[in-house]
Amino acid sequence: MAEHYKMAKAGKGGISRRSVLLGGASLLAAASILPSRAFAAGPGTNPGKYKIDLGGYTGPELTDAPITIKVMRQEFSPEINAPIEAAYTAFKEAYPNITIEEERVPYGDLAKKVQLYVASGSAPDIMMGSTELASVYAAGEIAVPLNDYFSADFIQDIYPAMRDAATIDGKVMCLAWESNSCFVYFNRDIFKRAGVETPPEVTDVDGGWTADQLLDAMRAITEKLRKEGDQTTFGMASSRFGNRGPGSNYSQLEGMWVRMMGDPNAPKDSTLFKTFAGISEDGLTASGYLDTPEAIQGMKNYQAMFNEGLTPKGVVVDHYKSGAAAIDFSSMAFANTFRKSGAPFEWGVSPPIRGNIPFASSVADAPFIYSGSQYIPEAAALLAFLLNDTNRRAFYDVRGSMPSRKSLTDESPAYKTDPVAILCANVGERAFGSPKSVGWLDYVNAVNPAVKDIALGVDVEERLHSTAAQIDRLLAKYR
């Protein structure tokens, strides 16, 4: 166990629920089609053990007393809310003494709501969090370790990258809701118009373009389009992550330009390893990790897109989906949107781009159980019910995202025959979590503005050095 986590658990070092969540000035505004058939009991089912199938739940039978379980999650569209509402109804039919009160908030407000609730000392029993904050949940003792309430088989069924990201000192702090690991989408019509060869359409994660190949292709496309007088079509789409535009979401998007230049298998004292790690092993030092020579080169590659006019410096809504950008990064979301609603252009997919390694983030929305809950077993049982096989199949069917558990992708024909789904699963297998730090909120709140400044043209090396030093100072309070 890292020493600072030990101290946190012991209530030393000034770390508390409030301090870890208030560590940052603000928080980040951070498909499968199944046939009707019988499914065998798997890690996500426990038929006959309780009044209903509580999935991976292994805790005691639930109370008979009248209680209320409060849930806070993001708002979805009506068709995606429907299977969750149906699950609540089924749960309440089996346990009529348990009332479920749900609060839905806009996705961009979710993390802020968690922060406010925890700071108040009174929070919903179940809240939608994120795997990237698992260290924060653990250090502040905000979330209940789930190993005591979920079977080992269920936890083991979660894709390793998402499971590892949510695990601190062997304790699983939250459960990935769905996979959103990204890969390359391209507009075949724009590539054809510019006479540029499209990226490899393979399902092997190692088979994608390098960063240099991507930049060269965007340069060729942009040069051709501008010569034709087209000033509005770009090589790379404006970011739609987080608050949109450059500096929108280092965890899931922009950090890949840095961490792909590293290598998790290199010696730990090498800059290759440190570039990938992004932070020291104790989670408290960024200098020498965020600003290595490799990291600087990665951010220079990122900056080139803006300096050379390959992507907008501002925000363009639905840039790729409207057909005005050649390349974007997304998970299964675009594919399912295009397949359901149609696309205004011919599209294709390719693996994540590569530096020393192909890099995709495994950051996932992940519900957790508030440690201050009066009804922890009941909250765990409700969460498990929402995550059992039946309810997850219903959710993924309408949501179109990739399941976070491997048994659900393995049973789906789509993940054996559909190249997009196969690539998505392969990326999910090879994705990486965020650097683990009790001060991760401080880290991203410092690095996101730096990324935006870099996009607007500041000196990369100087900005990364100053940002790393700034993060070191911010993390000093956790020492």
Side-chain angles (χ1 to χ4, degrees):
M1 181 187 297
E3 190 60 31
H4 61 289
Y5 296 150
K6 291 179 181 177
M7 294 174 65
K9 292 174 185 295
K12 300 174 182 176
I15 299 177
S16 65
R17 289 173 185 163
R18 174 183 291 270
S19 65
V20 295
L21 278 175
L22 296 181
S26 63
L27 288 168
L28 284 175
S32 67
I33 299 175
L34 299 173
S36 177
R37 58 191 172 95
F39 295 97
T45 63
N46 58 17
K49 294 184 179 179
Y50 303 95
K51 293 180 181 178
I52 50 175
D53 179 358
L54 294 180
Y57 179 71
T58 57
E61 181 54 279
L62 311 189
T63 180
D64 293 328
I67 66 170
T68 297
I69 299 296
K70 297 182 179 179
V71 181
M72 186 189 73
R73 65 173 175 88
Q74 69 270 49
E75 178 69 282
F76 290 114
S77 56
E79 72 274 15
I80 298 173
N81 284 325
I84 301 175
E85 293 166 350
Y88 289 151
T89 300
F91 187 87
K92 286 188 284 189
E93 287 175 353
Y95 295 99
N97 60 305
I98 299 178
T99 299
I100 301 171
E101 290 184 0
E102 186 181 66
E103 178 184 5
R104 302 175 190 170
V105 300
Y107 185 75
D109 296 339
L110 198 56
K112 188 70 174 178
K113 290 286 286 189
V114 172
Q115 177 190 30
L116 293 173
Y117 270 128
V118 173
S120 74
S122 177
D125 304 275
I126 300 172
M127 291 184 280
M128 184 62 76
S130 171
T131 55
E132 70 175 315
L133 297 178
S135 296
V136 178
Y137 302 150
E141 297 185 323
I142 294 165
V144 174
L146 297 171
N147 308 65
D148 294 338
Y149 295 94
F150 283 76
S151 72
D153 286 347
F154 180 90
I155 291 172
Q156 195 66 24
D157 193 31
I158 299 169
Y159 272 86
M162 289 181 276
R163 184 180 67 244
D164 292 345
T167 303
I168 305 299
D169 297 331
K171 299 294 186 182
V172 177
M173 307 310 300
C174 49
L175 296 169
W177 188 249
E178 58 190 329
S179 172
N180 288 305
S181 296
C182 293
F183 41 89
V184 169
Y185 278 79
F186 61 89
N187 181 319
R188 200 183 303 280
D189 293 349
I190 294 177
F191 275 81
K192 184 177 180 180
R193 177 179 157 197
V196 175
E197 187 175 349
T198 55
E201 296 181 68
V202 298
T203 58
D204 179 356
V205 176
D206 295 306
W209 267 347
T210 64
D212 288 340
Q213 288 174 308
L214 178 83
L215 289 169
D216 286 344
M218 289 194 294
R219 289 177 180 123
I221 289 171
T222 303
E223 180 181 5
K224 177 68 173 177
L225 296 177
R226 298 296 177 265
K227 283 182 179 178
E228 291 180 348
D230 183 344
Q231 303 298 323
T232 59
T233 304
F234 286 81
M236 178 63 70
S238 172
S239 172
R240 59 187 175 76
F241 286 71
N243 58 358
R244 300 176 181 269
S248 61
N249 191 321
Y250 186 84
S251 301
Q252 288 181 275
L253 181 64
E254 288 122 344
M256 74 177 181
W257 291 91
V258 167
R259 298 183 69 200
M260 73 166 68
M261 303 302 283
D263 184 351
N265 298 313
K268 287 192 173 182
D269 60 352
S270 68
T271 56
L272 275 176
F273 179 83
K274 292 180 178 180
T275 302
F276 169 79
I279 200 164
S280 59
E281 195 165 6
D282 65 2
L284 298 176
T285 303
S287 291
Y289 295 84
L290 179 66
D291 54 351
T292 64
E294 292 86 354
I296 291 167
Q297 182 55 54
M299 271 288 108
K300 285 183 176 178
N301 291 339
Y302 174 78
Q303 188 182 55
M305 294 193 299
F306 299 88
N307 283 350
E308 299 178 34
L310 310 179
T311 190
K313 292 183 178 179
V315 177
V316 181
V317 178
D318 288 335
H319 200 187
Y320 175 78
K321 290 171 71 175
S322 68
I327 289 175
D328 201 355
F329 300 102
S330 187
S331 58
M332 290 287 288
F334 280 174
N336 286 293
T337 298
F338 292 155
R339 286 168 172 169
K340 286 183 178 178
S341 306
F345 52 84
E346 293 294 324
W347 56 275
V349 298
S350 185
I353 56 174
R354 293 180 287 123
N356 279 303
I357 58 169
F359 185 89
S361 165
S362 69
V363 169
D365 296 331
F368 67 92
I369 298 172
Y370 178 51
S371 59
S373 169
Q374 298 180 56
Y375 311 113
I376 289 174
E378 287 75 20
L382 174 58
L383 179 57
F385 183 65
L386 295 173
L387 296 174
N388 76 12
D389 287 1
T390 299
N391 289 322
R392 285 289 84 190
R393 288 176 188 129
F395 176 83
Y396 294 130
D397 190 31
V398 294
R399 173 72 162 165
S401 51
M402 179 182 136
S404 57
R405 286 193 287 115
K406 197 168 188 309
S407 62
L408 293 178
T409 55
D410 286 348
E411 73 181 19
S412 169
Y415 287 89
K416 297 179 177 63
T417 58
D418 174 15
V420 180
I422 294 170
L423 173 61
C424 187
N426 289 341
V427 173
E429 287 270 14
R430 293 275 299 275
F432 299 99
S434 299
K436 292 182 178 179
S437 169
V438 62
W440 183 240
L441 293 171
D442 299 279
Y443 192 115
V444 293
N445 285 328
V447 78
N448 279 331
V451 169
K452 184 172 184 178
D453 289 347
I454 288 169
L456 297 178
V458 303
D459 183 87
V460 173
E461 184 170 355
E462 181 178 307
R463 192 65 171 95
L464 284 185
H465 285 320
S466 65
T467 303
Q470 177 191 5
I471 294 172
D472 292 346
R473 293 192 295 274
L474 291 169
L475 300 185
K477 59 179 171 285
Y478 303 115
R479 294 181 185 280

